[in-house]
Amino acid sequence: MKVLGIETSCDETGIAVYDSDAGLLADGLYSQVDIHAKYGGVIPELASRDHIRKTLPLVKQVLAQAGIDQSELDAIAYTSGPGLVGALLVGASIGRALAMGLGIPAIGVHHMEGHLLAPMLEPDPPSFPFVALLVSGGHTQLVRVDGIGKYEMLGESLDDAAGEAFDKVGKMLGLPYPGGPHVAKLALQGESGRFEFPRPMTNRPGLDFSFSGLKTFVRNTIANHTADNGLEEQTAADIAKAFEEAVVGTMAIKCRRAMEHTGLETLIIAGGVSANVQLREVLESTMAKINGRLYYAQFKFCTDNGAMIAYTGCQRLLAGESVDLGIHVQPRWSLETLSAI
Ligand code: KG4
Ligand code: ZN
């Protein structure tokens, strides 16, 4: 089965073709970062308008890359939520219209389920059951995964998502949007140990997260070290380092706790923040200590992409999930409400 995936939930237009026999045939991404960077965050209306401009040309490009004609597609999968409603509607409408024109089914896919299954696209994929740490710009969740659609929420952020915290700290340090990758790059120049930031909610039981206190701690540290001529470059790098260490350290403690709690030995990390090299390294060693194993997607499939949507839609259609002719979007949508396959 060949499935075209369309991702338009936020500020990236991602398109891909996944074949259940041959694997991923092609993928393409258009990032709107340059459009939103000057505002320091995503402007929903501009995002929707740009998805309208980019989706169809990118579909054509990816089909050509895959070496197939649109008539060879068996289904279309589009992101139906969670995300920005206008942006979601663009992908959903185009996906549904294309499917109707081609006489094939169109399936709406949960964006976070897409992230969660992205490591399945790798040559050595994890097998169920496992614990998933989902860390994106909008979500920080620890989930027990017993199969596709079999999700039990173990813990989540009570305030900011991990990616959001990275982005806000990036802004405080005067780095471009989105801050996450820039904070990580600056942290490489930072000296460990100059600043010690708190690891929120680790000294009490439970698997929930909170990053707003850490954010305030960063803001105060920056204020205390900002002189008339601004913040010294090395100090900014040391703060980035301490912040990254605090986030990663907190996640390592919670992940270890989740492995103990579930008795499982496989951990996957997914979503934009799983591209963070420090997080990968620390969790690799955490899992090695308990004779477990860590899995993650290649860098380009950690952040938003069409491949994870094509893959997820394909799995659900192969399992016989029924679809109707509606255009479905759900800006807020809990992972736990999905049906098991
Ligand atoms: O999954 P994603 O592309 O979009 C959402 O579904 O939200 O995640 C984007 C988030 C942004 O907050 C971005 O700053 C963060 O992932 N991110 C990173 C890194 N790369 C992306 N955060 C920390 N380190 C990175 N290397
Ligand atoms: Zn995402």
Side-chain angles (χ1 to χ4, degrees):
M1 177 185 271
K2 290 185 183 61
V3 180
L4 177 77
I6 302 178
E7 155 62 37
T8 65
S9 68
C10 189
D11 60 348
E12 253 128 16
T13 314
I15 306 291
V17 179
Y18 178 79
D19 182 340
S20 51
D21 293 326
L24 191 66
L25 300 185
D27 61 284
L29 187 86
Y30 175 78
S31 170
Q32 304 178 352
V33 161
D34 291 345
I35 294 176
H36 304 293
K38 54 176 170 285
Y39 304 102
V42 178
I43 308 293
E45 179 63 21
L46 295 183
S48 311
R49 287 170 187 232
D50 208 54
H51 286 307
I52 290 175
R53 279 190 289 267
K54 295 301 186 318
T55 304
L56 277 178
L58 202 52
V59 166
K60 277 192 183 152
Q61 184 188 313
V62 168
L63 285 175
Q65 240 168 277
I68 64 164
D69 185 75
Q70 61 185 24
S71 60
E72 291 173 72
L73 291 172
D74 297 295
I76 292 180
Y78 61 86
T79 304
S80 50
L84 303 171
V85 68
L88 289 167
L89 273 169
V90 176
S93 310
I94 292 178
R96 163 48 53 221
L98 271 178
M100 191 166 278
L102 295 169
I104 56 177
I107 185 168
V109 168
H110 192 292
H111 181 79
M112 296 313 291
E113 180 170 67
H115 275 306
L116 194 156
L117 296 177
M120 296 294 187
L121 290 161
E122 296 305 308
D124 174 23
S127 35
F128 302 114
F130 52 72
V131 171
L133 173 69
L134 303 179
V135 274
S136 70
H139 294 81
T140 299
Q141 300 177 322
L142 264 169
V143 189
R144 182 193 165 106
V145 181
D146 284 291
I148 296 180
K150 293 184 185 151
Y151 308 128
E152 182 198 340
M153 201 59 66
L154 302 172
E156 59 192 322
S157 178
L158 305 178
D159 38 62
D160 288 2
E164 199 179 351
F166 263 99
D167 294 344
K168 287 178 180 167
V169 166
K171 220 173 195 177
M172 290 178 211
L173 290 169
L175 301 172
Y177 171 84
H182 296 283
V183 171
K185 198 166 160 219
L186 183 62
L188 290 174
Q189 322 295 324
E191 203 181 300
S192 198
R194 178 168 166 208
F195 297 107
E196 192 65 40
F197 290 171
R199 269 89 174 131
M201 295 183 73
T202 51
N203 53 7
R204 58 178 119 149
L207 294 167
D208 286 333
F209 300 85
S210 164
F211 292 110
S212 71
L214 175 60
K215 219 175 48 193
T216 307
F217 205 91
V218 175
R219 183 175 290 116
N220 292 340
T221 308
I222 293 174
N224 291 339
H225 289 80
T226 301
D228 289 343
N229 55 351
L231 191 65
E232 268 182 32
E233 227 168 89
Q234 187 57 46
T235 303
D238 295 343
I239 290 172
K241 179 87 182 167
F243 167 74
E244 186 180 53
E245 282 177 349
V247 173
V248 169
T250 303
M251 285 177 180
I253 292 168
K254 299 281 166 155
C255 285
R256 184 160 184 169
R257 221 177 256 179
M259 302 320 289
E260 279 161 12
H261 171 79
T262 57
L264 299 177
E265 288 164 356
T266 306
L267 174 68
I268 70 123
I269 49 172
V273 184
S274 67
N276 186 282
V277 175
Q278 265 308 107
L279 179 66
R280 291 174 170 203
E281 285 178 6
V282 169
L283 288 180
E284 299 265 16
S285 76
T286 303
M287 292 307 290
K289 275 183 212 143
I290 57 170
N291 294 321
R293 214 180 134 185
L294 177 73
Y295 291 83
Y296 41 77
Q298 55 185 286
F299 283 117
K300 68 173 176 175
F301 297 148
C302 289
T303 41
D304 292 350
N305 64 87
M308 66 185 196
I309 303 304
Y311 175 85
T312 304
C314 183
Q315 301 312 310
R316 286 196 165 269
L317 287 167
L318 286 175
E321 185 154 312
S322 65
V323 291
D324 58 24
L325 293 177
I327 293 171
H328 301 284
V329 296
Q330 253 176 281
R332 289 175 164 273
W333 190 6
S334 155
L335 201 55
E336 283 182 298
T337 62
L338 295 181
S339 58
I341 67 169

